[in-house]
Amino acid sequence: MKFLVILCGFLILTSCETVAILKDDPLNVRIPGGFPPIVYPEGNEPTKLRVELGRRLFYDNRLSANQTVNCSSCHVLSTAFTDSKTTSTGLAGLPGKRNSPTLANVAWMPRFMMEGGVPTLETQALAPLHDTMEMGMNMMFAVRELNQDAKLRAMSLAAYGRDSIDPFVVTRSLAAFQRTIISGDSRWDRYRQGQVKEMNQEELIGMKLFFSEQTNCGNCHKGIFYTDFDYYNIGLDEVYADNGKERASHKAEDIGKFKTPTLRNIALTSPYMHDGRLNSLEDVVAFYNEGGKPHVNKDTRIRPLGLTTEEQSQLVAFMKTLTDWNFVQNAQLAPLN
């Protein structure tokens, strides 16, 4: 009996099953050239087990009420962590209200959701988890299910010093994993690093158009991430069914404003706009070329562009160079066996 008591001090036990104590180590996350460093929140710096635990939970159906949905149901690796649907599908096939955004490079994102209503990646998971149209789960019910898994509890103890899975561990580990979802190896990246043969003449003309005063594309889709992380009304509607940023700010001047999406891997993340109304990049460019619909909050830079059919094709050709094929085949972001 005394031997069993001593053994319990070194092993995690549940219903007589045992799991050896695990050891964690810091994880060196590779940052692409030209990217700024990641600023990690204190207490959630990357370690091997924090990231592995988050990766396991990302693909775990136990986070949904009927255990049929997980984070990857709406964020699929092969489509740059989107789902190719007009609006995402949740529990029992129920349609959601918004198009699924990519998770690429969320480590650098200052706020989350299309209206910017969530301030940190650690708290972001709470929204889809509790949304009845998405995962429909109560966090306390979720951790009760997860705590039946001795392996996860052992990882929790090693990674966060907590001997059970709790909301802190779930949200932190999911964030730790998502900060490793990094994309920075497109043909455009190689071109800017001096491999000039990576882009052809049509794509180079498209790039010049993209950053020209005629289109102003580069004013919002700027910098290494091809987004300014700001919010704009681009004239999608005269009357909005989804008020966008106004949902968070409660200010009338924010009606119809949505966060500028990154254009990295944009060719893989169709359909487009917050409600997935545009099916192709050609449709998106045509929309901007026409100048959008009138709205009191519409950004003044949204106006007819006067692009020819050839110029529109050149813009699309350039945007396709932002596809990172190694990213969408990265085995370290796929489910663990």
Side-chain angles (χ1 to χ4, degrees), residues 272-292:
Y272 306 103
M273 302 302 170
H274 70 277
D275 54 5
R277 69 179 65 187
L278 300 180
N279 291 322
S280 68
L281 283 177
E282 287 78 8
D283 292 339
V284 173
V285 172
F287 164 79
Y288 280 107
N289 197 41
E290 293 168 2

Side-chain angles (χ1 to χ4, degrees), residues 101-289:
T102 179
L103 298 183
N105 303 324
V106 291
W108 290 273
M109 193 175 292
R111 296 189 69 85
F112 301 87
M113 313 301 279
M114 292 181 180
E115 73 280 358
V118 177
T120 70
L121 194 52
E122 274 69 18
T123 55
Q124 187 279 327
L126 296 173
L129 184 71
H130 290 96
D131 192 326
T132 56
M133 301 294 287
E134 295 189 53
M135 301 173 84
M137 189 57 149
N138 180 295
M139 175 64 86
M140 302 316 296
F141 295 158
V143 297
R144 184 178 63 186
E145 290 292 324
L146 295 170
N147 271 307
Q148 297 179 35
D149 190 322
K151 172 71 172 179
L152 294 185
R153 293 200 320 277
M155 294 178 70
S156 173
L157 181 60
Y160 291 103
R162 303 168 91 93
D163 58 9
S164 65
I165 298 289
D166 60 19
F168 180 97
V169 172
V170 172
T171 56
R172 267 63 178 185
S173 61
L174 281 171
F177 169 64
Q178 288 178 86
R179 287 193 179 95
T180 69
I181 300 176
I182 296 173
S183 176
D185 186 28
S186 65
R187 288 198 291 121
W188 176 81
D189 289 297
R190 297 175 189 180
Y191 173 83
R192 70 180 175 84
Q193 292 166 1
Q195 300 180 45
V196 295
K197 293 183 179 179
E198 286 289 340
M199 291 176 62
N200 61 38
Q201 191 63 26
E202 181 186 29
E203 294 160 349
L204 291 172
I205 294 171
M207 181 172 69
K208 186 176 180 179
L209 277 169
F210 186 92
F211 292 107
S212 70
E213 292 184 2
Q214 181 181 1
T215 68
N216 282 319
C217 301
N219 283 1
C220 300
H221 298 284
K222 60 172 40 172
I224 200 71
F225 300 117
Y226 276 84
T227 173
D228 60 1
F229 301 111
D230 210 340
Y231 307 82
Y232 303 101
N233 180 321
I234 60 172
L236 280 172
D237 292 303
E238 295 182 35
V239 178
Y240 283 82
D242 183 337
N243 280 350
K245 189 180 179 184
E246 187 270 344
R247 294 176 60 183
S249 70
H250 306 293
K251 296 179 180 179
E253 60 264 34
D254 288 334
I255 292 174
K257 292 183 179 180
F258 293 89
K259 182 167 56 183
T260 306
T262 177
L263 295 189
R264 284 188 170 274
N265 301 295
I266 195 67
L268 303 179
T269 62
S270 63
Y272 306 103
M273 302 302 170
H274 70 277
D275 54 5
R277 69 179 65 187
L278 300 180
N279 291 322
S280 68
L281 283 177
E282 287 78 8
D283 292 339
V284 173
V285 172
F287 164 79
Y288 280 107
N289 197 41

Side-chain angles (χ1 to χ4, degrees), residues 45 48 63 67 107 113 174 214 265 309 318:
E45 297 83 2
K48 292 180 180 178
L63 287 179
Q67 300 198 0
M113 313 301 279
L174 281 171
Q214 181 181 1
N265 301 295
T309 301
F318 166 64

